[in-house]
């Protein structure tokens, strides 16, 4: 058997300043030839890709590809260009390889290195990924040999999360190894995801012609080592177990002098237990590694998610072994962070009064932090809920969260004890957002997005009970006080309350000016006052204020703050719109701040209208999401079969994308930055993004039929008024509507003949339901009412022939889609069946809308006559895309065959792991004392 080649310590100069290792035993002539060939290939590659990438230097070489550092000339960023070995490329062929690799190009996960580009140039087959300025796990292991137990398990669980996501998409990695795991800012990212699959599929049965095998011997599963064709997710589980084994012990589970020896051991020999090589490894981790390395796939974990859960569950043991007592497992865990020692499997009742401590001692409660993984098949629902989609019970032992079932695309509430691994569905909670607990923890309150109701349901299950039907469905929130009343944001952004036992709701207070709104109530102890965010001047100014329920007086307590909570530790907690949380001493009786603010938490994810993804319980337990709402939001084109094409790969906080009439530009709202919400224009061909508006806040654009103008709503005059502006920015914005101000303005549409701009909004101060209006674009700019039923109407879209208007309305209870003649007398016809909204026309006889029951995009074929006949067809699931009931977050192409949608955090959180902190108030008290905040 030939020994595996090893790298010599001597290195020779590389092509541009670096160094290149060469294999031992190569004659000098072969070294020179190798260097000459490499340089020739680099020159050829540079020439072939000169219009897209500037090749800087060769930075690595692996079994399948050579890696070059390059600059992406379009996007001004560093990338890694990976070129397949010539003998491999010759077997595969360009067309088949590019076809196969595109199946993996849509993987979007924080621990997966994305694929930017792929193709063929001058016989080179290449693919392009981000250049990560860090090191591979192999480099880290070469330097450190063994990793800390906590760090090793953290890396393994993050990689497992990426694997589980890809496996759900039907993609098996096939080559998990330290070389393919990059460490960037302490976080692992899996590279070459699906490349081995693409190579295998492209080559068919001809892989032997390349002299290569897919996978690296030390990390191959037994079935991969014996060349089984159909590999499952359990093969990747084995490979990841092998990588974790090496991180813990310093070597892979099987070693040998040759690849053949290693493969033989993988197939025949059992790996030594990790505790035999490192006694400090906790029993559950050792057991999880052993199960992941089982010879038979059926004896391994069923999924990467199950492997990950076992790694952080101290109670996990191999089948047939005794379960170690929880206290012993924790004692053996040494000084690990509580993420490992205090996982969901060992969280027990009594968390509010204290927690398990190291060594079994009990003194003051310990602050405990850990990730809470949402089970596979559930997507944490962030689409409609700009507040936290979860809540933690007053005693800190339960959580409730809103999630979307990835199979049915329906969102529901799940209740879960922290000593259990999965939650239980609360029946009847479809369409629920903003969950919260009653003070005794026996009820879960929530609001509904579509029918705008306030409801409650027992934590043990049972039919929901409606308490109020005038909820503001967005940017609202509710709080259940210890006096038994629930304070919530009602329509028009007022504060109202209703007894938790049922009764007639009462409005507590109007905003103190016509342009103010009241968000995110939090009832103070005793129920006599409410903390809330007051939003002035169309939310260009926010303050944290207190409403005295009896007198109706409002006092600002923290100017410039957003969300607020009272902590029983005697502190007022409040947030900024950057996601930072501060604490300040507070007298709830006098409702006064009495100390200096102290920073407590940073990096909390912020939703629209400063909604914070954070929940705090009365006992001091806390749950939150990190990151920003901007991350991962892309503009994507989807055809009628659901096949995606990325239109704008750069991420942003995009809303309301609208194709220009010629399909060459996109107008959209972009949130964030010093300018707030503004209208931007994206040129598809040149991939350039230019800002159209600058003054005030500007939202919801619509194109004129000739593409020369963009109309939008603007707050530049402290009210929400309709403006238009030349699309090329060559002139100033002009106010369109010339009658009284339009309040709470919504979606805009320009009719195809250019004579009307249609929009929804409140026509007068004090109105609670929106109507749909039309404003002429000629000399007569008088506003006309297009739809007004006494209920709420939204999204008035006029058919291309100008005959019909489609809209959403709650006149019959749930929101549904209707059509009626536009600005003419006539009846109206129901289009949707189980709830629907945001209609857009694909043609004069076809209407597109979102079905609320299935969260799918629907096409309704209409046949007009004495009545309207409807034939409905589901196009594709809409759960992964941004959605807003009151305004379309998608657009329809001119030919009706494609759709412009937004994919990302505003769609559904595919990769979100909430962080839970127990006994957080203890940390607050310590931090306040240390920094003089009292």
């Amino acid at each position: 058997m030939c020994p595996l080649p090893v790298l010599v310590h001597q290195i020779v100069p590389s092509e541009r300043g670096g160094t290149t290792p060469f294999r031992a035993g190569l004659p000098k002539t072969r070294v020179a030839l190798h260097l000459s060939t490499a340089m020739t290939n680099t020159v050829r590659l540079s020439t072939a890709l000169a219009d897209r990438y500037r090749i800087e230097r060769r930075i690595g070489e692996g079994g399948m590809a050579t890696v070059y550092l390059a600059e992406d000339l379009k996007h001004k960023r560093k990338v890694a260009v990976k070129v397949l070995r010539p003998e491999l490329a010759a077997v595969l062929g360009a067309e088949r390889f590019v076809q196969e690799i595109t199946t993996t190009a849509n993987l979007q996960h924080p621990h997966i290195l994305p694929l930017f580009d792929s193709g063929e140039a001058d016989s080179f087959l290449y693919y392009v990924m981000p250049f990560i300025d860090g090191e591979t796990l192999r480099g880290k292991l070469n330097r450190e040999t063994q990793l800390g137990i906590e760090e090793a398990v953290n890396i393994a669980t993050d990689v497992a999360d990426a694997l589980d996501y890809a496996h759900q998409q039907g993609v098996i990695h096939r080559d998990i190894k330290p070389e393919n795991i990059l460490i960037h800012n302490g976080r692992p990212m899996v590279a070459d995801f699906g490349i081995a699959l693409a190579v295998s599929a492209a080559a068919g049965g001809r892989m032997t012609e390349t002299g290569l095998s897919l996978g690296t011997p030390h990390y191959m599963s037994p079935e991969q080592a014996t060349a089984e064709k159909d590999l499952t997710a359990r093969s990747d589980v084995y490979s990841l177990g092998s990588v974790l084994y090496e991180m813990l012990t310093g070597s892979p589970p099987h070693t040998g002098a040759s690849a053949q020896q290693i493969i033989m051991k993988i197939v025949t020999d059992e790996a030594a237990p990790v505790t035999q090589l490192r006694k400090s490894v906790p029993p559950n981790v050792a057991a999880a590694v052993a199960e992941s390395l089982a010879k038979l796939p059926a004896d391994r974990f069923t999924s990467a998610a199950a492997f990950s859960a076992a790694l952080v569950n101290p109670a996990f043991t191999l089948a047939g072994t005794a379960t170690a007592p929880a206290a012993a497992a924790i004692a053996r865990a040494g000084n690990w962070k509580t993420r490992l020692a205090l996982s969901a499997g060992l969280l027990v009742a009594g968390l509010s009064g204290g927690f398990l401590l190291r060594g079994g001692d009990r003194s003051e409660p310990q602050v405990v932090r850990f990730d809470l993984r949402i089970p596979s098949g559930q997507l944490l629902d962030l689409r409609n809920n700009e507040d936290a989609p979860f809540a933690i019970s007053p005693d800190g032992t339960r959580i409730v969260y809103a999630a979307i079932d990835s199979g049915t695309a329906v969102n529901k509430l799940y209740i879960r004890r922290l000593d259990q691994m999965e939650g239980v569905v609360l029946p009847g909670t479809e369409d629920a957002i903003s969950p919260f607990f009653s003070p005794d923890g026996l009820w879960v309150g929530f609001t509904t997005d579509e029918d705008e109701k306030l409801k409650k349901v027992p934590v043990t299950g049972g039919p929901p009970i409606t308490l109020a039907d005038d909820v503001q469905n967005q940017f609202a929130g509710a709080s259940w006080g210890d006096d038994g009343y629930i304070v919530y944001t009602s329509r028009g952004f007022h504060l109202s309350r209703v007894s938790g036992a049922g009764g007639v709701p009462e409005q507590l207070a109007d905003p103190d000016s016509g342009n103010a709104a009241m968000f995110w109530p939090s009832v103070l102890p005793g129920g006599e006052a409410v903390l809330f965010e007051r939003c002035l001047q169309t939310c260009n100014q926010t303050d944290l204020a207190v409403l005295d329920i009896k007198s109706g007086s409002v006092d600002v307590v923290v100017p410039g703050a957003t969300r607020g909570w009272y902590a029983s530790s005697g502190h007022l907690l409040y947030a900024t719109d950057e996601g930072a949380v501060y604490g300040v001493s507070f007298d709830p009786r006098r409702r006064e701040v009495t100390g200096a603010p102290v920073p407590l938490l940073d990096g909390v994810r912020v939703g629209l209208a400063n909604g914070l993804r954070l929940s705090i319980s009365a006992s001091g337990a806390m749950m939150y999401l990190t990151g920003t709402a901007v991350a991962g939001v892309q503009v994507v084109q989807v055809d009628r079969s659901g096949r995606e094409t990325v239109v704008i790969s750069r991420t942003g906080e995009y809303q309301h994308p609208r194709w220009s009439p010629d399909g060459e530009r996109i107008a959209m709202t972009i949130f964030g930055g010093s300018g707030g919400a503004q209208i931007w224009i994206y040129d598809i061909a040149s991939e350039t993004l230019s800002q159209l508006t600058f003054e005030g806040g500007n939202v919801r654009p619509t194109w004129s039929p000739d593409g020369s103008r963009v109309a939008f709503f603007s707050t530049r005059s402290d009210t929400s008024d309709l403006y238009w502006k030349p699309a090329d920015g060559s002139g100033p914005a002009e106010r369109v509507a010339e009658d009284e101000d339009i309040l709470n303005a919504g979606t805009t549409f320009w009719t195809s003949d250019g004579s009307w701009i249609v929009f929804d909004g409140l026509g007068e101060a004090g109105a609670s339901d929106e109507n749909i209006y039309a404003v002429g674009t000629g000399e007569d700019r008088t506003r006309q009412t297009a739809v007004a039923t006494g209920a709420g109407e939204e999204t008035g879209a006029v058919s291309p022939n100008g005959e019909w208007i489609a809209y959403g309305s709650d006149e019959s209870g749930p929101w549904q889609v209707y059509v009626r003649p536009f600005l003419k007398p006539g009846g109206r016809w129901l289009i949707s069946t189980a709830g629907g909204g945001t209609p857009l026309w694909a043609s004069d006889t076809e209407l597109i809308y979102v079905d609320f029951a299935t969260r799918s995009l629907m096409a309704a074929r209409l046949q007009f006559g004495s009545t309207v006949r409807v034939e409905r067809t589901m196009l594709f699931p809409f759960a992964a895309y941004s959605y807003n009931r009151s305004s379309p977050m998608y657009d329809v192409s001119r030919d009706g065959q494609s759709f412009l949608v937004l994919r990302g955090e505003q769609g559904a959180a595919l990769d979100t792991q909430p962080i839970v902190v127990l006994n957080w108030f203890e940390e607050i008290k310590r931090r306040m004392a240390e920094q003089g905040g009292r």
Side-chain angles (χ1 to χ4, degrees), residues 257-274:
S258 69
Q260 292 89 339
Q261 288 182 11
I262 296 169
I263 290 174
M264 184 62 69
K265 289 183 178 181
I266 288 173
V267 174
T268 60
D269 293 355
E270 294 291 337
V274 291

Side-chain angles (χ1 to χ4, degrees), residues 271 379 486 593 708 930:
L379 316 176
I486 301 172
V593 169
S708 64
E930 290 173 351

Side-chain angles (χ1 to χ4, degrees), residues 252-384:
H254 299 289
T255 59
S258 69
Q260 292 89 339
Q261 288 182 11
I262 296 169
I263 290 174
M264 184 62 69
K265 289 183 178 181
I266 288 173
V267 174
T268 60
D269 293 355
E270 294 291 337
V274 291
T275 49
Q276 182 176 316
L277 303 174
R278 189 172 179 181
K279 297 184 183 300
S280 59
V281 175
N284 71 296
V285 175
V289 172
E291 183 164 324
S292 73
L293 297 178
K295 298 298 181 189
L296 291 176
D299 290 339
R300 292 179 216 139
F301 292 102
T302 58
S303 66
F307 182 25
S308 175
L311 288 172
V312 296
N313 178 11
F316 176 79
T317 60
L318 285 173
T321 63
T323 302
I330 293 175
R332 281 192 293 269
N335 60 356
W336 279 24
K337 284 186 180 178
T338 54
R339 174 186 174 187
L340 301 180
L342 300 171
S343 69
L346 283 180
L347 295 176
V348 295
L351 298 180
S352 60
F355 207 79
L356 297 173
L357 308 176
R358 298 189 185 103
D361 296 333
R362 289 189 178 272
S363 54
E364 293 184 0
Q366 297 288 306
V367 178
V368 179
R369 284 180 170 82
F370 55 91
D371 292 341
L372 189 74
R373 295 181 180 272
I374 302 300
S376 176
Q378 296 176 12
L379 316 176
L380 198 61
D381 189 2
L382 302 178
R383 295 167 304 159
N384 306 318

Side-chain angles (χ1 to χ4, degrees), residues 737-792:
E738 294 182 345
D739 58 342
E740 67 267 27
D741 293 334
I742 303 161
L743 305 177
N744 200 31
T747 306
T748 59
F749 292 105
W750 213 309
T751 58
S752 59
D753 65 0
S755 59
W756 300 95
I757 297 177
V758 180
F759 60 92
D760 53 69
L762 301 176
E764 58 186 20
S768 60
D769 291 310
E770 295 180 346
N771 300 323
I772 297 175
Y773 303 96
V775 171
T777 59
E779 292 184 3
D780 184 4
R781 304 278 181 83
T782 303
R783 186 183 67 193
Q784 296 196 32
T785 300
V787 184
T789 66

